[in-house]
Amino acid sequence: MNLFTETLSDGYGQTLSIDELLFEQHTEHQHLIIFQNRFFGRVMALDGIVQTTERDEFIYHEMMVHVPMLAHGKARRVLIIGGGDGGILREVLKHSSVEQVVQVEIDQAVIDLCKTYLPNHSAGAFDDPRVKIHIADGVAFVREAQVETFDVIISDCTDPVGPGEVLFSSEFYQGCQRLLNSNGIFVAQNGVVFMQPDELITTQRRLSPYFHDTRFYTVAVPTYVGGVMALAWGCQDPQAAELDINTLERRYLAAGLNCRYYTPAVHAASFHLPAYIQQLLTKASVSP
Ligand code: SAM
């Protein structure tokens, strides 16, 4: 039996059986593999790190999208950085308030191959007339964009190795802050805290100079192994992350969403962090 072993963390990893190899290529930017696994369905990995699977993708994509979108309440213009599999885009387009989505993905091959082998991720989202795709480096886009302003920015990038590293930089966060409207919300995937604690500390230190309210919320995704994943949050208004449950429920119902993971109660609860994560953030607030 062929096995795919992910070794993102030293001395610990996960192994999935490759029951059928569907595609493998060194693209212009990264190694890409898509294979069939008997439990998770089709799996896509980049540079040896699981990015998404058919079976558990809904968990991550619903929490990365509906938490900021329902917290904002009337987002019209959304920027997605990365997200080449199309799952984030699919969920954003479910919000009728959205008039335009700009997506900046560095690797055209990821979009093309995920359309072919993971069609349910984007589910036609790339063809929506509200969508504009840029094939570019996300940090260059947020540095150079001129007239753009957004209500929500979602950074759905790879881990801070290879092409994704720049999307965890101060320059990137400054660029995102510049492109957000005054009540805009920034969110980003920020790794599995128990396995990558330094990633949380670094992001807290790099993000907090640009947003009055920098915090994290969490979600447990089976194939992002090692415990809860932290999702970074930046906003100038602390109230945006502390909406009452009645407001969240009203907005969820009005949006007509039918989620499999997200609920208004899970939204509110996701911002309540276990003690070890709070202790890491306290450590981050002390200068290095
Ligand atoms: N959900 C996954 C996770 O949490 O690890 C991320 C999935 S998505 C496939 C990651 C995307 O980020 C890929 O399509 C990759 O090509 C893209 N990416 C990596 N570095 C980038 C950069 N500097 N600018 C834009 N997109 C980038």
Side-chain angles (χ1 to χ4, degrees):
M1 172 171 50
N2 289 335
L3 297 175
F4 170 86
T5 298
E6 177 189 83
T7 52
L8 183 58
S9 306
D10 185 27
Y12 173 82
Q14 65 178 333
T15 295
L16 296 91
S17 60
I18 300 178
D19 299 322
E20 184 186 355
L21 177 62
L22 299 171
F23 191 86
E24 186 169 12
Q25 177 191 49
H26 282 277
T27 74
E28 185 187 346
H29 297 281
Q30 49 210 336
H31 174 265
L32 180 150
I33 185 171
I34 300 176
F35 60 91
Q36 180 72 26
N37 173 265
R38 66 196 68 168
F39 185 83
F40 284 104
R42 292 187 172 185
V43 180
M44 193 255 293
L46 293 173
D47 287 341
I49 300 170
V50 172
Q51 299 298 304
T52 191
T53 84
E54 284 181 315
R55 188 160 185 173
D56 69 358
E57 59 88 3
F58 69 95
I59 300 171
Y60 171 81
H61 291 130
E62 288 181 8
M63 288 300 282
M64 276 282 277
V65 171
H66 303 312
V67 171
M69 291 297 287
L70 293 175
H72 186 283
K74 47 185 182 306
R76 296 184 301 112
R77 288 173 44 76
V78 177
L79 172 63
I80 300 170
I81 305 292
D85 54 72
I88 296 287
L89 182 60
R90 178 196 72 212
E91 292 302 310
V92 166
L93 291 171
K94 289 180 179 175
H95 291 264
S96 56
S97 61
V98 170
E99 295 167 4
Q100 187 180 45
V101 185
V102 173
Q103 180 159 357
V104 183
E105 162 58 54
I106 200 167
D107 197 337
Q108 178 73 53
V110 177
I111 293 178
D112 296 343
L113 292 162
C114 288
K115 277 184 183 175
T116 302
Y117 292 104
L118 293 168
N120 297 327
H121 271 60
S122 53
F126 287 114
D127 300 325
D128 188 299
R130 292 174 287 175
V131 176
K132 181 165 178 43
I133 304 289
H134 293 272
I135 300 302
D137 184 333
V139 71
F141 179 86
V142 299
R143 181 194 317 125
E144 293 155 15
Q146 292 309 315
V147 295
E148 308 277 3
T149 54
F150 296 97
D151 301 305
V152 170
I153 297 179
I154 299 173
S155 179
D156 176 28
C157 58
T158 45
D159 287 277
V161 288
E165 188 169 7
V166 293
L167 302 184
F168 293 80
S169 66
S170 297
E171 180 189 11
F172 176 68
Y173 297 140
Q174 182 181 31
C176 289
Q177 184 268 328
R178 184 177 69 86
L179 294 182
L180 273 173
N181 291 319
S182 57
N183 63 342
I185 298 172
F186 168 81
V187 297
Q189 82 87 354
N190 206 87
V192 173
V193 186
F194 197 80
M195 307 309 295
Q196 301 144 325
D198 291 344
E199 212 170 292
L200 185 93
I201 293 171
T202 302
T203 297
Q204 173 72 16
R205 286 177 174 157
R206 290 181 180 169
L207 193 59
S208 51
Y210 303 107
F211 293 99
H212 295 313
D213 185 35
T214 299
R215 63 177 83 191
F216 295 85
Y217 62 108
T218 64
V219 60
V221 183
T223 50
Y224 299 157
V225 290
V228 293
M229 169 177 262
L231 305 179
W233 171 281
C235 186
Q236 305 310 347
D237 175 10
Q239 288 302 310
E242 297 170 2
L243 289 178
D244 64 276
I245 189 77
N246 295 327
T247 300
L248 292 175
E249 282 173 348
R250 181 166 38 77
R251 290 183 181 179
Y252 180 68
L253 290 173
L257 296 168
N258 180 22
C259 293
R260 297 171 55 204
Y261 183 89
Y262 177 97
T263 71
V266 164
H267 174 145
S270 68
F271 283 98
H272 294 275
L273 303 176
Y276 81 94
I277 297 181
Q278 292 180 36
Q279 289 153 12
L280 284 169
L281 293 171
T282 302
K283 184 177 170 190
S285 64
V286 175
S287 55

